[in-house]
Amino acid sequence: MSSRSNGIYPLPADTSTDAAAFSTFINDAFATLFEYSAADCRYSPQPQPHITGMFNQAHDFTVMGTFIEGNVMEKLLEKTIPGAASDSSARDPPPRCHPGTRLAILERCLHFIANCNDNKKIRWVVGSAGVGKSAILQNVAESPKLPVTSQASVFFSINGRNDGSKAILTLSYQLATKSEIYRQVIEYEIARDPSLLQSSLSVHFKKFIVEPFIGNSRLNSAGRILIIIDGLDECHNLRSQQEILRLIFDLCNTYPSSPIVWLIASRPEQHITSFFSRATVTPTYEKEEVAVDSDEARADVERFLRDEMKEIKASWYSLDAQSEWPDEKDLWKLANASGGLFAYAHTAIKYIGDPNIGNPVSQLSDVLNVIDNHPMTGIPRDEHPMALLDALYARILSNVPPKIMVYTRKLLLALASVKSARTRNLLVLCNWLGMTPDEAYAAINHLQSVLRFPKRGKSHEEKLEPYHKSLIDYISDFSRSGFSHDIQHDARQLMTECAFRVLKEAPDGIDFGDTDYKLWHGTVTRGPGTGEKISLSWPVVQEVGWNDDETRLSLYKLAMGVVLAGMRRGDTTFHNEFYIRLLTTRFEAYSDSFPFFALSDLPFDKSRRHEFMTHGLIKQMPLKAIDISTIPSLNAVKLQLHRPASLAATESTDPWNAACDHERKGEWGEGNDQDWLTTFWPNDCAFCFERLKHQLQNYKSRFPDHTLCVLFTSTGSCCIEFTFVHPEDGISEWTYWFWCHVSLEERKRYGSTV
């Protein structure tokens, strides 16, 4: 049908009347055109034959039935992620490192790009949410020292720039705009097979990355190429993230001579961290960890804050340039609260300098109030000083599936308000909360950008903790997070439930052999029970230098700590026989920090005295059994006095010493009955302590069988209630409560079963 001469394809004489002939002509012509193989186009360094004729210099047209586009680049552009490039107007102004900050990290990144070789062509920049990873990569992309001939970038974002299926096409388009050779290669591929634009991620990577840069010698030898992928964890699905990593690894591992260097930034999400932890992957990358709490990060944040505050001061006409604002201590407080988290510092600065709110002085005061945990009521969420940071945390928490949130909530409650629980290793914490390892890691999985946690093999050594305190501040404030109306109450309720479960499973105490039974408040006694029935949701399944008995001992200590804390703050949950008996029978010794009077106030309360005497918690013994010398000087003593007003008119000595500086509560005004209560420490008030000892000795010598009420304990430290009528006036009634040591022999003699 057609003749071929010098590459020219003459048209049939009458195309208007011979449509079939025209179609045959077109197909025949393109069949000849595509005889130039893909291999010729991709790999040959020689220029391709020049085609002349009717299609020479043609543009902007389509022939029906056969694909040919005058502008392949337009079609490719349609398949890219809008605004994902480092220089995109959609990101303008992009996040950048503050001048003079992150210098060491930037230098290390540039050095790696210039000097990496063989298969180690990946640099993984990893850090928690808000540390400034995107700013670091932006600075690298814009660096005048960048030792590359070309670069392309994808800055993923959950805000519309998260389609991983378009990642390679986005990079390809950018490279095509900067390299004529590369553009010709991909235009040919797309023209030959238009369906490539609809192919899978792996096909895109093969056709637009591997084959051009490995198979084409002109591209392979054209110099180093930098590809930046930021926010990989914000790519819309895990499969795309993992596929991108796998493809990059395969390229670096299979083709060590590849000219492409990869700079990848992400949060430490579990699936990404696991990928880079593989032994096969390790040789292909270097890790750059952007820490929140490093000295370098803190210094950079402080510099940022100082410079920005100077800028705010200079831009506000109402602020005197010679003034001392901001006060140095306020600046230090802000810097200390920010730590190394740029997101916190940036949020604070945005609020302080916002001209639409008020003025910098009052706005700085707002931020300082937030730092001091002073509630800011009546302020909409979007106007809160930490609104931008709150939005980040809200977005992260929203990723937790509802069925997993029940476990995540428990972990966050434990971190928010229970010091004794959050200081334990992850293994103990999860057993405490009744979580299996699978439940625990599922709960943590979506929060890896804000929580630091150990791998399973290290769960007995390391603890779960937030990267920055601002996360706990956020969830603790219901007006900001909606997480809990009363997080302290919810956390304490959870801890009480956990403690009760453990103590119920070890009603007769514990005995795990010769080990440390010390708590902050004292030393737990051993036995008579073993504690082996304390259930574990996460038992130790292999030898790791930790065993299940250590877990059970830790759980028992935690439970005792919860009871002691509850007793100290007067929580009525613990105001019953079970908990009082627990604290009086399960200790070998009390420390000075033991809540002595929090324990003794309840059974000696007049409204419940009979109840506790019936249960045998309060016994009676004679005064002669007391060794006055054993009253400790570090334990408080309480004194209650009832004295009628009529005695004031006599020469009877006033029982209150004006030199005493401890507080008294009640009534003692002139002409009124005295009815007051005071608490003193023997080592602080020698007058009151010496008077107590004198009164005890006097009564002991005169009335040795005078009855005392006593709360016996297993430690020998017992609380004594000493009530008497003062012999000087025969009317005023004195009652002391103090702790002293009673020997085991005396305790048994007077009915103690402890």
Side-chain angles (χ1 to χ4, degrees):
M1 174 68 68
S2 61
S3 62
R4 303 179 182 181
S5 174
N6 298 322
I8 299 175
Y9 304 89
L11 283 169
D14 187 1
T15 59
S16 63
T17 58
D18 193 354
F22 178 74
S23 177
T24 302
F25 161 76
I26 290 295
N27 290 333
D28 196 20
F30 274 94
T32 302
L33 178 63
F34 289 137
E35 285 176 2
Y36 297 103
S37 68
D40 291 333
C41 183
R42 288 193 302 273
Y43 306 146
S44 173
Q46 302 301 319
Q48 301 300 313
H50 181 63
I51 307 300
T52 60
M54 66 171 289
F55 299 112
N56 185 34
Q57 297 182 344
H59 58 86
D60 296 329
F61 71 91
T62 302
V63 177
M64 300 302 294
T66 304
F67 178 88
I68 180 169
E69 289 291 339
N71 197 337
V72 173
M73 292 291 284
E74 287 185 4
K75 291 294 183 183
L76 179 57
L77 178 61
E78 292 174 1
K79 298 295 183 180
T80 64
I81 305 172
S86 63
D87 57 356
S88 170
S89 62
R91 299 179 62 247
D92 190 36
R96 293 186 176 94
C97 298
H98 184 73
T101 65
R102 299 303 199 195
L103 298 180
I105 292 178
L106 291 171
E107 183 60 33
R108 288 193 294 269
C109 288
L110 292 173
H111 182 269
F112 176 84
I113 294 167
N115 296 283
C116 63
N117 53 43
D118 297 328
N119 63 345
K120 185 167 287 189
K121 299 281 178 61
I122 305 170
R123 190 166 190 83
W124 179 34
V125 180
V126 59
S128 64
V131 294
K133 301 181 295 295
S134 296
I136 292 170
L137 266 62
Q138 183 71 33
N139 271 46
V140 170
E142 296 177 348
S143 174
K145 301 178 181 179
L146 198 59
V148 297
T149 58
S150 187
Q151 63 163 295
S153 56
V154 173
F155 282 76
F156 283 114
S157 171
I158 197 171
N159 298 319
R161 301 196 306 272
N162 60 350
D163 189 348
S165 66
K166 296 181 178 181
I168 304 305
L169 296 181
T170 302
L171 295 169
S172 180
Y173 178 83
Q174 294 174 44
L175 292 170
T177 63
K178 300 170 184 177
S179 169
E180 180 67 18
I181 299 173
Y182 179 79
R183 184 182 64 78
Q184 291 175 358
V185 171
I186 65 163
E187 281 187 333
Y188 172 79
E189 288 290 350
I190 296 171
R192 189 174 67 86
D193 183 5
S195 68
L196 276 179
L197 296 179
Q198 301 170 353
S199 297
S200 66
L201 194 61
S202 60
V203 171
H204 289 167
F205 197 85
K206 176 183 177 183
K207 291 296 183 181
F208 300 133
I209 299 294
V210 179
E211 291 184 356
F213 289 103
I214 301 303
N216 190 306
S217 60
R218 287 180 294 176
L219 290 174
N220 186 269
S221 61
R224 188 147 289 191
I225 308 296
L226 173 64
I227 293 183
I228 294 173
I229 300 178
D230 178 62
L232 179 62
D233 52 282
E234 297 202 29
C235 181
H236 77 293
N237 67 61
L238 300 186
R239 289 186 61 187
S240 293
Q241 298 174 29
Q242 292 170 323
E243 181 74 352
I244 289 171
L245 288 174
R246 183 189 64 79
L247 292 169
I248 294 172
F249 160 71
D250 285 344
L251 172 64
C252 295
N253 193 52
T254 307
Y255 302 103
S257 63
S258 168
I260 303 176
V261 179
W262 302 85
L263 192 59
I264 303 172
S266 78
R267 297 169 185 169
E269 304 294 352
Q270 189 272 334
H271 59 286
I272 297 176
T273 301
S274 294
F275 178 86
F276 281 110
S277 298
R278 297 176 188 173
T280 53
V281 176
T282 301
T284 64
Y285 81 97
E286 282 189 4
K287 181 179 179 181
E288 178 70 60
E289 186 164 4
V290 187
V292 175
D293 50 2
S294 68
D295 292 341
E296 180 184 342
R298 287 177 172 273
D300 284 346
V301 167
E302 183 185 340
R303 176 169 184 160
F304 166 77
L305 289 170
R306 289 185 180 278
D307 289 350
E308 290 296 314
M309 292 295 270
K310 286 180 183 177
E311 185 67 25
I312 292 172
K313 183 177 180 179
S315 63
W316 276 78
Y317 67 89
S318 60
L319 290 173
D320 183 358
Q322 304 303 317
S323 71
E324 295 298 323
W325 186 90
D327 189 89
E328 183 66 18
K329 65 179 178 60
D330 292 340
L331 193 55
W332 269 105
K333 179 181 286 188
L334 179 55
N336 187 58
S338 300
L341 189 67
F342 265 94
Y344 189 100
H346 182 263
T347 299
I349 288 297
K350 289 279 287 184
Y351 180 82
I352 294 169
D354 191 339
N356 299 313
I357 301 176
N359 64 81
V361 176
S362 64
Q363 284 152 216
L364 173 59
S365 179
D366 288 344
V367 172
L368 296 176
N369 283 332
V370 170
I371 293 171
D372 292 333
N373 290 321
H374 293 159
M376 299 187 67
T377 58
I379 298 178
R381 288 187 185 182
D382 58 354
E383 295 180 13
H384 192 276
M386 291 291 121
L388 294 176
L389 189 63
D390 290 355
L392 173 64
Y393 287 141
R395 190 176 76 193
I396 293 170
L397 286 171
S398 70
N399 291 331
V400 181
K403 65 180 181 180
I404 300 297
M405 192 62 187
V406 62
Y407 304 114
T408 303
R409 181 178 177 81
K410 286 183 178 181
L411 289 171
L412 291 176
L413 284 174
L415 291 176
S417 59
V418 186
K419 182 179 180 181
S420 59
R422 66 174 180 259
T423 55
R424 295 302 197 275
N425 62 54
L426 180 61
L427 177 71
V428 170
L429 177 60
C430 292
N431 275 293
W432 173 250
L433 297 173
M435 284 187 201
T436 66
D438 291 336
E439 290 168 343
Y441 280 99
I444 298 169
N445 188 40
H446 294 279
L447 301 181
Q448 294 183 66
S449 60
V450 292
L451 294 179
R452 181 186 290 113
F453 67 97
K455 296 179 180 179
R456 288 200 186 191
K458 295 288 186 180
S459 61
H460 64 289
E461 296 178 347
E462 301 172 14
K463 61 185 178 180
L464 177 72
E465 58 185 344
Y467 281 112
H468 194 267
K469 177 181 174 292
S470 57
L471 172 67
I472 304 304
D473 293 339
Y474 168 70
I475 64 171
S476 298
D477 189 336
F478 180 76
S479 67
R480 295 168 62 188
S481 65
F483 184 78
S484 170
H485 282 283
D486 187 343
I487 199 166
Q488 293 295 323
H489 173 270
D490 290 349
R492 287 169 180 167
Q493 186 176 47
L494 174 62
M495 296 303 107
T496 300
E497 292 170 0
C498 295
F500 185 76
R501 173 184 63 82
V502 171
L503 296 172
K504 185 179 179 182
E505 293 173 343
D508 299 320
I510 57 171
D511 188 350
F512 298 113
D514 188 15
T515 187
D516 183 9
Y517 294 89
K518 288 183 179 179
L519 300 174
W520 175 254
H521 297 293
T523 302
V524 177
T525 189
R526 293 170 59 175
T530 63
E532 63 182 3
K533 292 185 178 180
I534 297 176
S535 59
L536 301 181
S537 56
W538 184 347
V540 176
V541 295
Q542 59 185 6
E543 185 62 39
V544 292
W546 184 271
N547 59 54
D548 288 342
D549 282 349
E550 289 179 277
T551 302
R552 291 188 174 97
L553 176 60
S554 295
L555 295 179
Y556 192 82
K557 287 182 176 181
L558 266 175
M560 295 295 275
V562 169
V563 175
L564 286 161
M567 192 69 73
R568 180 186 293 278
R569 66 174 178 268
D571 189 334
T572 56
T573 303
F574 304 97
H575 288 184
N576 57 54
E577 178 200 355
F578 175 80
Y579 291 112
I580 293 176
R581 194 175 295 280
L582 181 77
L583 297 183
T584 56
T585 63
R586 293 287 174 251
F587 278 86
E588 177 182 305
Y590 297 138
S591 70
D592 293 337
S593 62
F594 187 85
F596 290 98
F597 276 107
L599 171 61
S600 61
D601 282 350
L602 182 62
F604 285 118
D605 184 274
K606 288 183 178 180
S607 65
R608 302 189 66 178
R609 180 189 296 263
H610 178 72
E611 171 192 346
F612 291 116
M613 290 190 76
T614 302
H615 288 309
L617 289 172
I618 295 179
K619 298 289 185 178
Q620 292 183 330
M621 62 184 293
L623 179 55
K624 63 185 179 183
I626 295 295
D627 182 353
I628 299 173
S629 66
T630 65
I631 301 176
S633 61
L634 294 177
N635 284 358
V637 176
K638 285 189 176 182
L639 166 62
Q640 187 170 46
L641 178 78
H642 296 284
R643 187 171 187 255
S646 58
L647 288 179
T650 70
E651 295 182 359
S652 177
T653 305
D654 187 347
W656 181 257
N657 182 3
C660 292
D661 58 5
H662 45 87
E663 183 183 9
R664 62 172 170 168
K665 299 177 181 179
E667 297 180 357
W668 57 84
E670 185 176 350
N672 296 324
D673 292 347
Q674 290 198 35
D675 189 357
W676 49 261
L677 177 72
T678 188
T679 301
F680 64 88
W681 277 259
N683 57 346
D684 288 338
C685 187
F687 172 83
C688 289
F689 188 38
E690 289 301 321
R691 181 172 62 184
L692 167 61
K693 290 193 293 183
H694 174 75
Q695 290 169 329
L696 280 169
Q697 191 61 51
N698 183 39
Y699 247 76
K700 187 175 182 179
S701 61
R702 296 175 60 187
F703 312 106
D705 292 320
H706 181 76
T707 301
L708 307 175
C709 287
V710 58
L711 176 67
F712 289 122
T713 79
S714 55
T715 68
S717 292
C718 304
C719 187
I720 308 297
E721 182 185 73
F722 173 40
T723 300
F724 64 96
V725 175
H726 201 286
E728 184 178 310
D729 55 46
I731 298 177
S732 59
E733 183 178 296
W734 298 58
T735 302
Y736 285 100
W737 292 273
F738 59 89
W739 287 76
C740 70
H741 185 78
V742 179
S743 68
L744 178 60
E745 180 183 358
E746 294 290 348
R747 280 181 276 149
K748 288 183 176 180
R749 178 181 301 171
Y750 296 107
S752 172
T753 57
V754 179

